Amino acid sequence: MNHATLVVLALLRSEPMHGHQIRRVAELVNLSEWAEVSTGAIYNTLRRLADDGSIVAVRTEQEGNRPPRTVYAPTEAGLYELERLREVALSQPIPDASVMLALIFTAPGSDPDELRELLRVRQAALRRQHEDLVHLRQRKDAQGAPVTAAMAFRAWEMQLAAAVAWHDEVDGRIEELCAPEAMIRTPDHRRAADPGIPRGARARAQARAAAAAARESNPSPAGAAEDGAPGTPSTVTPSAGPEPDAGPDTRSTPS
């Protein structure tokens, strides 16, 4: 399975994004270390999916002097491919990174009942594997298999037992996993989605401006005198403002 394709299509299904945003999400969860999804794979996948019609460019964004970035969204063909990849990943009855990727990136926004059914089918297959492995180890033990073989079988048994138990926990939290807000987002992406959240120099400038406005609207008392006596509160003289309109001049004008 192509892990990068699953990740890219799943993120674009959640909302249109450009490559840098997808890359930041991948870095946030260290996909290059446990799922072999590198930065190069992300951009290569975007180009390939655009070429085969699975995604389409919807707009271009540019921040400051940085190069413009193309924002993509999935097509119907791309959504169909994502659904196929998800079913393949969740049907594999072996501990595999594909299962984690499918759960992390395709569960948010999915139908809880549909996902629950897919996972229960996989759990049943894992449970059968575990039972078969236990019976096999018991036969080998009865035949006098060496302890090294017994420990290898036990390791596989314990992995499968843990996977079965993990499915029970996932099943109990399926509604949370399928909530759209469960999708992973980077802090920068959240700020981009909400322009009201300032950052960097803009945040500091806004904070200074807000503080200055607060001081002008609610002046503080003058500082204490050097001998410790309280200072005299400063006085602010309100502006007289424009004079009220006196109305039109009704005096006659000499001819």
Side-chain angles (χ1 to χ4, degrees), residues 140-166:
K140 293 297 183 182
D141 286 345
Q143 295 169 0
V147 66
T148 51
M151 289 300 96
F153 278 115
R154 281 294 293 151
W156 296 332
E157 284 178 36
M158 294 173 73
Q159 289 180 24
L160 289 169
V164 170
W166 174 80

Side-chain angles (χ1 to χ4, degrees), residues 35-89:
E36 299 180 350
V37 178
S38 64
T39 298
I42 290 171
Y43 288 104
N44 289 337
T45 299
L46 281 171
R47 285 190 288 269
R48 176 175 56 79
L49 293 175
D51 289 342
D52 68 21
S54 295
I55 62 175
V56 62
V58 293
R59 65 178 181 273
T60 300
E61 294 181 355
Q62 186 168 13
E63 183 177 345
N65 294 325
R66 295 178 179 176
R69 290 167 173 159
T70 303
V71 177
Y72 294 96
T75 62
E76 287 297 323
L79 293 175
Y80 178 84
E81 176 64 8
L82 174 61
E83 186 63 23
R84 187 190 71 80
L85 290 173
R86 184 180 77 148
E87 291 185 5
V88 169

